[in-house]
Amino acid sequence: MTENEARARVRQAIGEIAPPAGLEARAYRRLREIEPSRDRVPRAAVLVAVAITTLVLVTLVGIRSTSLNSRQPVPAATPMTTAAPTSTPLQPQFSAALLSSAGLAVAANLVTPLQLDATDQGVTIRLVGAYADHARTVVLFQSSGPGVPVRESLEDSKGPVNFSSGSRTAPAPYSSWSLDGPPTVDSDGLAHLRLTVAGYQERIGAAASSTPPSTLQGLWEFRFTLGVQPGQPLLPPDISKQVGTVPVMLELVEATPAVIHVQALIQSNGQAILTGAGAGRFLQLIDSSGHAVQPVAAGAGVTAPKQQLTQQTADVVRLNYQWERPATGGTYEVRLTYQDATASLMITVPSTPA
Amino acid sequence: MELTDGLIVGARGGDKVAFMRIVEPLLPQAYRLAAGMLRSEPYAEDAVQDAVLNAWRNVHKLRPDSDIRPWFLTIVANQCRTYRRSRWWRVTSGEALPDATVPNPLDPATIDLRRALYKLPEDQRLLLVLRYYLDLPLDEVAAVLGISSKAARSRVHRALRRLRLAPELEWHD
């Protein structure tokens, strides 16, 4: 194959995406709105503005914060090791900041403490804790250097645990990684897990620098067992709702110790809904004061297998949303919105057990 | 070149008009980069707008002889990384939504390639998007990733091999 042929195949796979009209004008308008001063802002004021913007962005979307440490030189590689788990009782041993950043503040007592070290490329990563429930799996890391583990993958006894995943900001030297689903529980009532980390990356600041973050490639491996907390249904399964012309099935509405979890099936117009301007408002959790709670996970995927993928089947989309569970419980509205149509259900979330 | 140097000097001095004249010609490519990396056009515009802000805040690092395109596209790529690593960004792996702009979205080979492309490690996907979607020369691809041109060529080849596209490539630069 020639390079031109490879180019054509890659472009075909991505598709031809045309920039929208008015992109430049909107970018300039936003620049003027957010940076109104014509004169160059003194550096100290820029740092304060960046810090405030960082705080807002962390609140809204959980972007990693900057590490101020300079890059460490890469020492010679050392063999990878995996220690056996220590048999420690289930007691809260983690800082409130770490648990909060990982979305585990209300489920602190259910986080399994671990002390598993793996070293490669001169960097030691410690798996300090893990948690799993019916909706998510979370692992907590501590690392010896200024960066964060990246390229994580998890396997259970059935193979790869294949859910959408992501990381959250955690105070250095900690970080967390989570999957939007549970591992398989074996006959002994535990999930038997192998966690692999394939990279170690410089922390990325919210005000992105003009140099790419460095990533150390390596292999850090951890094996451990983990209990999986059950979910508590808040509504009967498979409730049908009509949002204007769009039929939606609320397949699952539950509370786990850590999250409120909604799984919904959009039965038509899925593509238009998820790529349109109102995509972020299609499924919301509204609190008693009328505010939309920020989700901690929002995933979507087609349901049809590849061989059955057509224009029609591609419009059937399953949503998987999670919101942090409040400690005190309360009444919430699960609201579905598409164009001018709304459908909703009220749920009562119990307080978390003391 | 002299016009650009003057614009850079102006931008470093706080002139937003000069700054926008520098980055405006790059916005279409920046958008295509972000859309190629994020697979979402609304998020792509958000990423480009955030990158413009970040570029403005870092314009003091730009020298009159700087190569602007790789500088700005690096900021865009970093912004995409930030988006993808945030909790808000979730798309189940595996079955991607067919995109209406893909010429033949139902072609199984294209679907397979698309899925494989988006399962690549981020840096490999970025390499391919820069090289084959934005048609950047290898030295600019290398500059965006902070590596040598030789390393960029090797990594592009490795990424294509991973996609099973290029067991033997004839390179055209």
Side-chain angles (χ1 to χ4, degrees), chain A residues 1 3 7 11 13 15 17 26 30 35 37-38 40 63 162 167-168 178 180 209 295-296 298 300, chain B residues 12 14 16 45 49-50 57 60 78 82 85 87-88 90 92-93 97 114 132-133 135 165 168 172:
Chain A
M1 180 180 294
E3 197 180 12
R7 171 181 287 107
R11 293 173 80 106
I17 302 170
R26 286 192 294 277
R30 185 153 179 250
E35 299 279 354
S37 170
R38 179 177 173 81
R40 180 141 175 75
I63 297 174
N162 190 23
S167 304
R168 292 189 92 178
S178 63
D180 294 340
S209 74
V296 296
Chain B
R12 284 163 58 104
K16 286 197 187 66
E45 175 151 359
Q49 293 200 9
D50 285 342
R57 290 166 183 151
H60 59 279
N78 279 348
T82 302
R85 293 198 72 77
R87 286 292 293 200
W88 178 246
R90 292 299 165 89
T92 45
S93 59
L97 289 176
R114 185 174 165 81
Y132 295 127
Y133 199 57
D135 284 325
L165 279 185
E168 301 294 336
H172 304 277

Side-chain angles (χ1 to χ4, degrees), chain A residues 81-213:
Chain A
T81 60
T82 302
T86 57
S87 54
T88 51
L90 288 178
Q91 292 175 1
Q93 300 181 357
F94 311 100
S95 69
L98 172 58
L99 292 172
S100 177
S101 66
L104 295 176
V106 295
N109 287 350
L110 299 172
V111 178
T112 299
L114 298 165
Q115 295 284 325
L116 299 178
D117 289 350
T119 300
D120 193 18
Q121 305 297 315
V123 173
T124 297
I125 298 174
R126 172 170 290 178
L127 183 63
V128 298
Y131 167 87
D133 65 28
H134 194 236
R136 67 199 297 247
T137 306
V138 184
V139 292
L140 307 175
F141 295 112
Q142 178 185 0
S143 51
S144 61
V148 291
V150 294
R151 299 180 193 154
E152 302 93 334
S153 59
L154 186 69
E155 290 177 29
D156 59 23
S157 60
K158 303 292 184 199
V161 181
N162 190 23
F163 295 102
S164 54
S165 62
S167 304
R168 292 189 92 178
T169 305
Y174 298 100
S175 62
S176 67
W177 178 72
S178 63
L179 291 161
D180 294 340
T184 302
V185 173
D186 293 328
S187 57
D188 61 356
L190 296 172
H192 295 258
L193 302 173
R194 174 175 173 258
L195 173 69
T196 302
V197 175
Y200 189 71
Q201 187 176 79
E202 179 187 14
R203 287 178 184 252
I204 302 171
S209 74
S210 58
T211 55

Side-chain angles (χ1 to χ4, degrees), chain B residues 57-69:
Chain B
R57 290 166 183 151
N58 284 282
V59 73
H60 59 279
K61 296 180 183 173
L62 202 55
R63 296 189 307 273
D65 59 348
S66 295
D67 208 343
I68 296 171
R69 184 163 65 180

Side-chain angles (χ1 to χ4, degrees), chain B residues 61-126:
Chain B
K61 296 180 183 173
L62 202 55
R63 296 189 307 273
D65 59 348
S66 295
D67 208 343
I68 296 171
R69 184 163 65 180
W71 171 79
F72 184 61
L73 292 182
T74 301
I75 295 176
V76 174
N78 279 348
Q79 195 63 53
C80 293
R81 280 192 189 92
T82 302
Y83 272 44
R84 286 188 60 80
R85 293 198 72 77
S86 76
R87 286 292 293 200
W88 178 246
W89 179 259
R90 292 299 165 89
V91 178
T92 45
S93 59
E95 302 288 347
L97 289 176
D99 190 326
T101 62
V102 175
N104 184 9
L106 305 181
D107 173 57
T110 301
I111 292 174
D112 278 345
L113 179 59
R114 185 174 165 81
R115 187 176 301 127
L117 178 68
Y118 286 105
K119 279 188 172 177
L120 284 178
E122 201 162 332
D123 280 355
Q124 286 189 347
R125 186 165 65 251
L126 177 61

